[in-house]
Amino acid sequence: MAIEDFDDILPHVGSFGAFQKRILLLSLPVNYFLAVVYMAQIYQTLTPEHWCAVPELSNLELLDRRNLSIPLEMRDGELVYSRCRMFDVNFTQMDVTEQPNSSWPTKPCSTTDGWDYDLSGGMYHTIVSESNWVCDDDWRPNFAQAMFFVGAIIGSLLFGLLADWYGRLPVLIMSNVLACGAGVATGFAKGFVDYVICRFLVGMAYDLHYMMMYIILMEYVGPEKRTIVGNVPLAIFLTLGASSLPWIAYALADWRLFSIISSAPIAIIVVAWWLVPESARWLVLKGKSDQTLKTLQQCARINKKTVDPLIYEQFQAATLRTYQLEKDNPTNWMDLFRSPKMRQRFLIITLTWMVITVVYDGYVRSLAILPYSVFITNSIAGALELPADLVPVVTLDRLGRRWTLMMALSLAGLSGVATGIVPQSSAMLMTLLAMASRFFITIAMNTGIQYTVELIPTQLRGQGTGVVHITGHGATFFAPFILYLSTYYNTLPYIVLGGLSIFGGLVCLLLPETADQNLPESVADAEHFGTGQSFFTMPCLSKRRERRRRLNDVDNVKKTLPASDVVGVETINSTRRYVKDLSHPPCQLGKSKQESGPRRQQTDGWQNDSFASSDPSLQKNQTTRF
């Protein structure tokens, strides 16, 4: 077989041997650290229940001080102690056994005296309680989180350019060193400015600190193993990170120590410089065929493979052709706006992705609103990542991308709105609905990643997907401010996020279905892609109609044959059985992709039923989303 691309030479040097397993082993902690980088601030900025401090009553127990000095007020339909006001009376001349009177005058808390914090239930002092970021300053944690996403935008642009200029491996090391250093430095932050700068720097590393390793791993693993290698370790270790972080914070009970201990291990990724090869595709596109050849020879040696030198010569010739083709046919993401239909679809794709990222981030960080322990709720929600990561594997090729995304967004939205409107006295129901909304938006995130990649034409897939993800980071900047609405009504963020999710579910119905379709290679292909599709296009329904058509064709042929033609009847019966074997039962959700007869589209580097992309770095399957 002639060697035309990188996938063709992988079987000769080993597509999943010791060389690839070494990269996979080092990628496992990267998957875990993805949760650390993304979710650490939740446990650095927890806000304990608080009220005004009254130094004159310091000799009393905490709750006794509160009962005597703090007025009651209506909040979210309930009568609770005020967080930001106190009785304006002379406590030094008061009998401490006296009962407070609601007619007493009140005043705002004194910033000099500060606040008392209730640290029961495993709660601990965070930067919020240390710096008194409450009442008039309660916007500060949300602003710091917003700056994290500003950093993500700038980091995506900056490290993206560096990855194109100097390679994926140097950016992998730089981004992880930055995440480690800024994460550890967060534990030493002395004030608001220090903390915001640290969060900004951690945000710069977000996404690319993980994605560079993912790109390299996927390029060196054979197509037959990419779905498992790309999805299962990520799903398991991301779930492990999301569900274990709350208990690490709970056990340490110190936000500074938590920041240092959770971030310092990221430094282990530095060993990738000596153990992980450079991206094969980047080497090819930069015309570094000699370096690519050395990497392949190393791979063959570690995998104990003997390769005919002619194979290497064919590969070098193929890489030179690829390099020249890329050089002679440059593309620009602005080409996505040159045709009306592609422009419209790209804007819809971008809008839908912005909705997904905002709602996902909002649901992840909103669990502190719920009436139960934030450690328990976050741990359960983290555990839901795994099943939510695996559901799209079952549904995408049966229900299709569009309907899976629409239903996931709609159910996430309805669950969120319901969380916001149920009585807050129904704590268990509210929590179950919040967990359901988190589960469905995770499915939407996984589906949206794949759907976005497939809708953008191959020649612009790399640049187009990058633009979509950067706009997603930009939109997520507003998620912390949506959560800030809880200061006006506790569950208002759920109503707003739920409404956005329902809107996104309706908007995505304007896009064409990509399941079982030949994906567009160029903008011209994209202009005609989806023409003739019905509104209810769904793979399982299409396969059922195709099965019926095939069986009807067999029956019609059978009717035209003489009844005495035994050979003909046997032939028809055999044909009927063959058609049945090839056909799919209607809407059967229990089978895997491999059983469903996937289409395989020849591409310049990937042959995978989930994607048809010219860029292996974009082959992010169902569970890849950050």
Side-chain angles (χ1 to χ4, degrees), residues 10-297:
L10 274 179
H12 296 278
V13 299
S15 61
F16 194 63
F19 182 82
Q20 287 82 4
K21 291 174 183 177
R22 186 174 67 182
I23 305 174
L24 173 61
L25 184 63
L26 191 57
S27 74
L28 298 181
V30 177
N31 295 333
Y32 182 91
F33 296 142
L34 177 59
V36 174
V37 172
Y38 182 64
M39 299 179 179
Q41 184 172 328
I42 295 174
Y43 309 102
Q44 297 165 354
T45 58
L46 291 175
T47 304
E49 189 60 40
H50 54 276
W51 51 85
C52 305
V54 181
E56 297 91 334
L57 301 178
S58 57
N59 59 315
L60 299 180
E61 294 293 331
L62 180 68
L63 295 183
D64 291 334
R65 294 200 301 269
R66 182 198 64 180
N67 296 340
L68 181 60
S69 62
I70 306 301
L72 294 170
E73 64 181 19
M74 291 297 297
R75 188 188 314 137
D76 303 325
E78 297 182 5
L79 195 62
V80 295
Y81 285 99
S82 176
R83 295 170 177 167
C84 301
R85 299 191 70 83
M86 58 181 287
F87 287 120
D88 185 11
V89 297
N90 188 345
F91 290 103
T92 58
Q93 300 179 358
M94 179 181 294
D95 182 358
V96 295
T97 62
E98 185 177 353
Q99 292 297 316
N101 191 323
S102 59
S103 63
W104 291 350
T106 63
K107 64 178 181 179
C109 299
S110 168
T111 55
T112 303
D113 296 335
W115 284 258
D116 285 331
Y117 293 91
D118 183 4
L119 301 181
S120 61
M123 191 62 71
Y124 51 86
H125 278 297
T126 64
I127 192 170
V128 172
S129 59
E130 283 186 6
S131 305
N132 288 326
W133 291 353
V134 293
C135 296
D136 291 342
D137 288 331
D138 60 1
W139 54 273
R140 292 176 183 261
N142 293 296
F143 181 82
Q145 184 60 42
M147 293 307 295
F148 172 91
F149 290 109
V150 173
I153 297 171
I154 296 175
S156 295
L157 294 171
L158 176 61
F159 284 122
L161 290 173
L162 293 176
D164 285 340
W165 293 340
Y166 302 110
R168 317 305 195 213
L169 186 57
V171 169
L172 169 67
I173 303 302
M174 286 188 291
S175 58
N176 276 279
V177 167
L178 179 61
C180 175
V184 170
T186 300
F188 297 94
K190 299 298 183 182
F192 179 65
V193 175
D194 295 350
Y195 186 76
V196 168
I197 291 174
C198 289
R199 294 310 298 163
F200 175 85
L201 293 175
V202 173
M204 286 186 66
Y206 169 61
D207 198 12
L208 290 175
H209 81 285
Y210 148 79
M211 191 54 63
M212 292 297 106
M213 179 67 86
Y214 185 88
I215 290 170
I216 293 171
L217 175 63
M218 289 296 97
E219 288 181 351
Y220 285 100
V221 172
E224 72 281 357
K225 296 286 187 182
R226 281 174 184 153
T227 298
I228 295 176
V229 170
N231 287 317
V232 177
L234 174 63
I236 293 174
F237 278 82
L238 180 60
T239 301
L240 180 63
S243 57
S244 65
L245 273 181
W247 301 114
I248 295 174
Y250 179 87
L252 295 174
D254 184 323
W255 76 272
R256 295 184 184 275
L257 190 59
F258 168 77
S259 301
I260 296 169
I261 288 180
S262 62
S263 298
I266 300 178
I268 194 176
I269 307 304
V270 172
V271 303
W273 183 258
W274 295 278
L275 299 178
V276 175
E278 180 54 88
S279 159
R281 177 172 172 78
W282 182 82
L283 292 172
V284 169
L285 293 181
K286 293 299 179 180
K288 300 177 182 290
S289 59
D290 291 340
Q291 190 174 342
T292 310
L293 188 60
K294 289 180 181 178
T295 302
L296 290 171
Q297 290 170 341

Side-chain angles (χ1 to χ4, degrees), residues 435-581:
M435 294 298 171
S437 63
R438 169 73 176 273
F439 176 77
F440 289 120
I441 197 59
T442 304
I443 295 174
M445 176 71 77
N446 298 330
T447 304
I449 267 286
Q450 178 163 340
Y451 199 20
T452 297
V453 169
E454 293 178 342
L455 283 168
I456 299 175
T458 301
Q459 65 178 182
L460 294 169
R461 194 160 286 153
Q463 298 176 62
T465 306
V467 171
V468 171
H469 280 264
I470 289 173
T471 57
H473 289 323
T476 314
F477 171 84
F478 298 99
F481 300 109
I482 294 176
L483 294 179
Y484 185 69
L485 296 174
S486 63
T487 59
Y488 301 101
Y489 185 77
N490 196 38
T491 55
L492 182 57
Y494 275 102
I495 298 174
V496 175
L497 293 169
L500 283 174
S501 187
I502 294 171
F503 169 74
L506 296 175
V507 167
C508 76
L509 290 176
L510 300 174
L511 297 170
E513 180 56 67
T514 59
D516 294 336
Q517 305 293 320
N518 291 322
L519 302 184
E521 293 288 331
S522 64
V523 175
D525 293 339
E527 191 69 11
H528 302 286
F529 181 74
T531 302
Q533 286 187 7
S534 70
F535 180 76
F536 294 101
T537 295
M538 192 179 295
C540 64
L541 298 180
S542 300
K543 291 168 184 174
R544 181 171 62 181
R545 287 192 294 267
E546 178 65 15
R547 178 174 178 269
R548 287 177 178 175
R549 184 187 66 77
R550 290 180 180 179
L551 293 177
N552 288 337
D553 289 346
V554 171
D555 289 337
N556 291 336
V557 172
K558 183 177 178 181
K559 291 177 182 178
T560 63
L561 293 177
S564 59
D565 192 346
V566 177
V567 176
V569 171
E570 289 302 317
T571 301
I572 293 301
N573 289 336
S574 299
T575 305
R576 188 181 185 92
R577 285 193 297 271
Y578 176 70
V579 170
K580 280 188 173 183
D581 291 340

Side-chain angles (χ1 to χ4, degrees), residues 294-543:
K294 289 180 181 178
T295 302
L296 290 171
Q297 290 170 341
Q298 180 190 19
C299 177
R301 185 175 64 256
I302 294 175
N303 289 339
K304 298 180 180 179
K305 294 279 189 177
T306 302
V307 183
D308 187 338
L310 181 61
I311 296 295
Y312 289 131
E313 293 177 8
Q314 291 179 358
F315 176 74
Q316 279 191 303
T319 57
L320 289 174
R321 289 195 299 270
T322 301
Y323 170 68
Q324 194 62 42
L325 183 64
E326 293 282 347
K327 186 177 179 180
D328 295 341
N329 298 278
T331 56
N332 188 295
W333 66 274
M334 289 298 293
D335 293 338
L336 291 167
F337 293 91
R338 301 195 190 284
S339 64
K341 187 174 290 186
M342 187 66 246
R343 178 169 59 247
Q344 178 188 26
R345 286 178 181 170
F346 187 72
L347 292 174
I348 294 172
I349 293 167
T350 303
L351 178 61
T352 304
W353 183 249
M354 291 168 69
V355 168
I356 291 172
T357 54
V358 169
V359 176
Y360 179 83
D361 188 73
Y363 282 161
V364 165
R365 303 181 192 282
S366 63
L367 297 179
I369 295 173
L370 301 178
Y372 293 107
S373 166
V374 68
F375 305 105
I376 295 175
T377 54
N378 275 282
S379 182
I380 295 173
L384 290 175
E385 292 280 339
L386 183 58
D389 287 343
L390 299 179
V391 165
V393 177
V394 178
T395 62
L396 286 181
D397 285 342
R398 277 74 175 180
L399 302 179
R401 280 61 160 159
R402 184 176 62 149
W403 285 103
T404 297
L405 182 59
M406 187 281 294
M407 287 189 281
L409 281 171
S410 299
L411 290 172
L414 292 172
S415 301
V417 172
T419 303
I421 63 177
V422 297
Q424 297 197 33
S425 56
S426 304
M428 179 58 71
L429 177 59
M430 182 192 303
T431 303
L432 290 175
L433 289 169
M435 294 298 171
S437 63
R438 169 73 176 273
F439 176 77
F440 289 120
I441 197 59
T442 304
I443 295 174
M445 176 71 77
N446 298 330
T447 304
I449 267 286
Q450 178 163 340
Y451 199 20
T452 297
V453 169
E454 293 178 342
L455 283 168
I456 299 175
T458 301
Q459 65 178 182
L460 294 169
R461 194 160 286 153
Q463 298 176 62
T465 306
V467 171
V468 171
H469 280 264
I470 289 173
T471 57
H473 289 323
T476 314
F477 171 84
F478 298 99
F481 300 109
I482 294 176
L483 294 179
Y484 185 69
L485 296 174
S486 63
T487 59
Y488 301 101
Y489 185 77
N490 196 38
T491 55
L492 182 57
Y494 275 102
I495 298 174
V496 175
L497 293 169
L500 283 174
S501 187
I502 294 171
F503 169 74
L506 296 175
V507 167
C508 76
L509 290 176
L510 300 174
L511 297 170
E513 180 56 67
T514 59
D516 294 336
Q517 305 293 320
N518 291 322
L519 302 184
E521 293 288 331
S522 64
V523 175
D525 293 339
E527 191 69 11
H528 302 286
F529 181 74
T531 302
Q533 286 187 7
S534 70
F535 180 76
F536 294 101
T537 295
M538 192 179 295
C540 64
L541 298 180
S542 300
K543 291 168 184 174

